[in-house]
Amino acid sequence: MKIKCNFCNGKCIKNGFQSNGNQRYKCTICQKRQQITYRYNAYKGDINQEIVLLTKEGLGIRSTARILKISTTTLLKRIVCIARNITRPIVSRGKTYEVDELCTYIRHKKNYIWLVYALEKNSKNVVSFNVGKRTNKTLNRVLETLKLAEAKKIFTDRLKNYRYLIDKKMHSVKRFGTNHIERKNLTLRTHLKRLNRRTICFSRSLAVFTAVLKIYFWI
């Protein structure tokens, strides 16, 4: 029986046995070892798709781990790994954007952190985001992306930091100018428990929090 590699689709040959007695195979191209069937759910072929689906539905780490019947440690590693392979979207030139920030916390409720992100006004797609303290440096990581894309207009709220970071010609604080991103804020707080205002479901790790956002925004 011919076995195809789960990683590169190459040909596999027998390569001894696992400690549990299952036949082990080795790919002749990428040299990776694998089995035909696995007892542990984390090694199933479609597990990453299920993790993405449940993450976007707003399930917490422990809830997702219980449903998929895998350990929380494995789940956290998979989420970070999935996010690492996500490519940033291409930012179109000459578009109009809305920028806003959301407050949450990491590890404990005294450690406040800010999510700053930019929304393309017509498509409603998130083109850039950054997580950090509410400083010019955190804001500027997102704004620089828009400036490189030669943004036609950038709508923000009345946070004074924006006055010094955005050119007056493209900056606007017009009433109702940030309607779309404010609605997106509500959607985020509804879908992701870790962004709720009053919740015990908060992120313990900045890396995991950033990974969850990448999955939610860009998959």
Side-chain angles (χ1 to χ4, degrees):
M1 183 175 63
K2 294 182 179 180
I3 305 299
K4 289 187 177 180
C5 177
N6 295 325
F7 303 96
C8 69
N9 211 32
K11 182 183 177 181
C12 291
I13 58 175
K14 291 183 178 181
N15 187 248
F17 294 88
Q18 296 290 103
S19 58
N20 58 10
N22 288 350
Q23 178 68 57
R24 184 174 60 201
Y25 295 87
K26 180 181 178 182
C27 179
T28 57
I29 298 176
C30 68
Q31 305 297 311
K32 290 185 178 181
R33 293 174 174 84
Q34 55 211 280
Q35 298 174 208
I36 297 177
T37 58
Y38 291 91
R39 294 180 182 178
Y40 187 40
N41 289 340
Y43 291 102
K44 290 183 177 179
D46 61 344
I47 192 69
N48 282 3
Q49 288 83 351
E50 292 184 27
I51 291 173
V52 169
L53 177 63
L54 295 176
T55 299
K56 295 186 73 170
E57 288 296 324
L59 266 70
I61 297 298
R62 295 186 184 279
S63 299
T64 303
R66 280 196 301 271
I67 292 173
L68 298 180
K69 297 181 181 179
I70 62 178
S71 73
T72 54
T73 303
T74 300
L75 176 59
L76 290 171
K77 290 180 180 179
R78 284 298 183 96
I79 288 174
V80 173
C81 183
I82 292 169
R84 193 182 295 124
N85 295 322
I86 298 174
T87 56
R88 287 176 170 270
I90 298 174
V91 185
S92 302
R93 293 181 179 273
K95 299 290 184 177
T96 301
Y97 299 95
E98 299 176 20
V99 179
D100 201 10
E101 61 282 339
L102 280 174
C103 178
T104 183
Y105 45 87
I106 302 291
R107 296 190 186 93
H108 53 81
K109 293 189 176 182
K110 292 183 179 179
N111 186 24
Y112 284 102
I113 205 83
W114 289 85
L115 162 64
V116 183
Y117 69 105
L119 191 78
E120 205 273 294
K121 202 172 183 66
N122 292 328
S123 66
K124 314 294 189 304
N125 293 328
V126 175
V127 296
S128 180
F129 77 90
N130 191 27
V131 179
K133 299 297 182 182
R134 199 179 192 183
T135 62
N136 287 352
K137 183 179 180 180
T138 303
L139 295 171
N140 212 31
R141 287 284 299 274
V142 174
L143 297 175
E144 282 297 324
T145 303
L146 306 184
K147 292 174 185 177
L148 290 173
E150 300 176 0
K152 182 179 179 181
K153 207 76 174 176
I154 301 176
F155 291 93
T156 70
D157 55 21
R158 297 186 181 277
L159 182 67
K160 63 180 182 180
N161 302 57
Y162 291 120
R163 301 176 190 173
Y164 311 108
L165 299 174
I166 307 175
D167 188 271
K168 291 182 179 180
K169 294 180 180 179
M170 67 172 67
H171 186 210
S172 178
V173 291
K174 185 177 67 173
R175 188 184 182 190
F176 304 127
T178 57
N179 274 11
H180 297 108
I181 199 166
E182 292 291 351
R183 181 62 181 81
K184 185 71 172 181
N185 290 346
L186 178 59
T187 302
L188 284 172
R189 292 194 185 278
T190 302
H191 286 182
L192 300 180
K193 290 181 180 179
R194 64 191 72 228
L195 286 175
N196 286 358
R197 294 184 185 276
R198 295 183 178 182
T199 180
I200 59 172
C201 302
F202 55 90
S203 295
R204 271 71 174 179
S205 166
L206 183 61
V208 174
F209 179 58
T210 304
V212 169
L213 291 173
K214 287 182 74 173
I215 291 171
Y216 187 84
F217 287 145
W218 296 334
I219 291 186

